[in-house]
Amino acid sequence: MKTVQMTLEPELVAEVDRVARRLGLTRSAFTRRALSAAIERLRVQERERRHREGYRRKPTRRGEFDVWSAEQSWPD
């Protein structure tokens, strides 16, 4: 691992320390998890944006997926 220096507001550091302590984590472990989660959220948002853009550029046509209708039904 690499050591990095960050500048944070004292209130944020105090909140991180409270939450990390409650979770039984070190400040560094909590921060690693939080940063990883934030990066993953950004990746998901980007995939969702690209997905929306794809459908905007090429919208589905009426009946395009009718052939799959029977496959979507759950048996009783």
Side-chain angles (χ1 to χ4, degrees):
M1 282 194 227
K2 184 174 183 172
T3 301
V4 297
Q5 183 176 3
M6 299 174 69
T7 304
L8 304 170
E9 295 84 1
E11 300 82 13
L12 180 57
V13 174
E15 186 66 19
V16 166
D17 288 345
R18 277 192 293 278
V19 173
R21 205 171 19 259
R22 192 175 78 228
L23 295 173
L25 299 169
T26 63
R27 181 189 291 162
S28 292
F30 176 81
T31 304
R32 280 192 300 273
R33 283 188 182 184
L35 290 172
S36 292
I39 290 168
E40 181 58 23
R41 275 193 310 275
L42 290 171
R43 286 181 181 145
V44 168
Q45 288 172 356
E46 176 59 17
R47 286 192 301 264
E48 289 173 345
R49 185 197 64 74
R50 289 179 19 222
H51 187 255
R52 282 190 307 273
E53 179 61 22
Y55 274 101
R56 188 193 64 73
R57 281 194 322 268
K58 187 177 179 185
T60 56
R61 295 180 315 273
R62 183 177 298 254
E64 183 174 358
F65 298 108
D66 287 354
V67 69
W68 294 103
S69 294
E71 299 297 327
Q72 297 175 5
S73 299
W74 289 92
D76 292 333

